[in-house]
Amino acid sequence: MLFLGTLLSLALGLTGTCGPVVATTPIVADVVRAIADHVLPVVSLIPPDTDPHSLELSPQDLQLLISADVIFTNGAGLEKDLEQLLSLPEIGPKVVDLSAGLPLRTRGQEWDPHVWLDPTLVLSWAEKIVSALSELVPGSADFFAAQGEKYRTQLLALDGWIKEEVEKIPPERRLLVTDHFALGYFAARYGFREVGALVPSESSLAEPSALELAELVREMRALKVPAIFVSPTFNPALAERVAAETGAKVVTVYFGTLSGPDGPAPDYLSLMRALTTRIVEALKG
């Protein structure tokens, strides 16, 4: 990322009228769109097929933030590299942290930012979005409330469907190994045990040590873990090495981004259904 002062100077030098509603990630943007519908345009800062842990902004992105009326963030530390930027006086007052006040999980000293992997927490996101959009466009408040209620119904149906699908997995096989610690909220909601991660971090950008990998292999062997769930951008050599040492199979899933309109998970609800289906197929035996 460019030095913040230079980036801000470049952005303020760009021309443009008031921008759309902005979300930091494609998943946040998709939930906002479900409520804003056709009333307001919604833009994601990063593309659908980009790791949400690697947010980098251009001067045009910063201008978008400055011109936006409201900015929705995932929160819980996901945008920590952008904290200085998002706290600028031109931007900070417009930020709505969707995860503020939620019962967040921690690992060590860090928050787990993968809140969206529990649909019941996204219910709270929807409530905040309805409130913020209604304040922004009071004349459409009733419409936003109706959209929020519709989305709430969809989220509750999704939650019930996931519970039913997970019942297909024998309890002793409800074991999760992932590329990084992404499924903590999912595991807690639906009764899985998080055995470990190839990269023992909340971010996919970290690196594992030899000792950490050896301990993970030992535990996976002991528990006879059937599968390792990794994102499409994760190091395939590392995943295949651990799989070869443990007898587990490598299963590719989308955790934190959307695959675009032509992929298997064009929206958040589809993402969760695709993720659940892949997990159930890999673990049910």
Side-chain angles (χ1 to χ4, degrees):
M1 185 184 296
L2 293 172
F3 180 71
L4 182 58
T6 303
L7 188 59
L8 182 59
S9 298
L10 289 169
L12 291 174
L14 297 173
T15 59
T17 58
C18 182
V21 171
V22 174
T24 51
T25 74
I27 289 174
V28 172
D30 183 69
V31 178
V32 176
R33 285 191 192 102
I35 295 165
D37 197 32
H38 62 279
V39 175
L40 294 166
V42 181
V43 175
S44 175
L45 279 179
I46 60 173
D49 56 353
T50 302
D51 188 331
H53 295 285
S54 57
L55 287 166
E56 292 191 11
L57 302 187
S58 67
Q60 289 77 18
D61 292 327
L62 182 51
Q63 173 63 20
L64 180 65
L65 292 173
I66 291 170
S67 65
D69 285 326
V70 62
I71 301 159
F72 293 100
T73 66
N74 178 90
L78 187 69
E79 297 92 354
K80 62 183 176 181
D81 290 342
L82 302 182
E83 284 178 358
Q84 186 181 4
L85 176 64
L86 293 173
S87 65
L88 289 171
E90 299 88 352
I91 297 174
K94 301 180 290 187
V95 172
V96 177
D97 181 343
L98 293 177
S99 297
L102 292 181
L104 298 177
R105 297 174 57 83
T106 59
R107 194 174 299 279
Q109 301 298 312
E110 303 213 346
W111 296 113
D112 181 348
H114 303 88
V115 175
W116 63 90
L117 292 167
D118 179 347
T120 65
L121 297 180
V122 178
L123 289 170
S124 295
W125 282 18
E127 291 175 4
K128 289 186 178 182
I129 293 166
V130 168
S131 178
L133 295 183
S134 297
E135 185 176 340
L136 182 62
V137 188
S140 295
D142 289 344
F143 174 79
F144 296 140
Q147 289 295 103
E149 187 58 33
K150 176 182 175 182
Y151 201 62
R152 172 184 173 80
T153 300
Q154 292 176 313
L155 289 171
L156 291 174
L158 172 65
D159 180 57
W161 178 82
I162 294 174
K163 287 180 178 178
E164 290 177 359
E165 290 298 298
V166 169
E167 286 298 316
K168 298 175 181 178
I169 307 172
E172 68 275 11
R173 291 175 63 89
R174 295 175 193 173
L175 306 170
L176 294 175
V177 173
T178 48
D179 55 17
H180 68 295
F181 284 118
L183 289 176
Y185 292 99
F186 185 91
R189 176 64 183 168
Y190 301 112
F192 288 84
R193 174 181 172 182
E194 273 194 297
V195 176
L198 302 181
V199 177
S201 169
E202 304 297 344
S203 170
S204 58
L205 304 180
E207 293 289 338
S209 70
L211 182 61
E212 288 167 334
L213 279 178
E215 177 58 24
L216 176 62
V217 167
R218 184 199 66 77
E219 189 159 12
M220 287 180 64
R221 286 172 174 168
L223 294 173
K224 298 180 180 178
V225 173
I228 305 169
F229 300 98
V230 302
S231 62
T233 58
F234 189 74
N235 179 358
L238 177 58
E240 292 294 346
R241 190 177 101 203
V242 173
E245 293 183 31
T246 61
K249 58 184 174 183
V250 177
V251 179
T252 301
V253 294
Y254 285 88
F255 293 125
T257 190
L258 304 179
S259 58
D262 299 323
D267 55 64
Y268 168 70
L269 298 175
S270 298
L271 170 74
M272 292 302 297
R273 288 181 179 274
L275 174 65
T276 302
T277 297
R278 296 284 281 172
I279 290 174
V280 171
E281 288 177 349
L283 299 181
K284 68 181 181 180

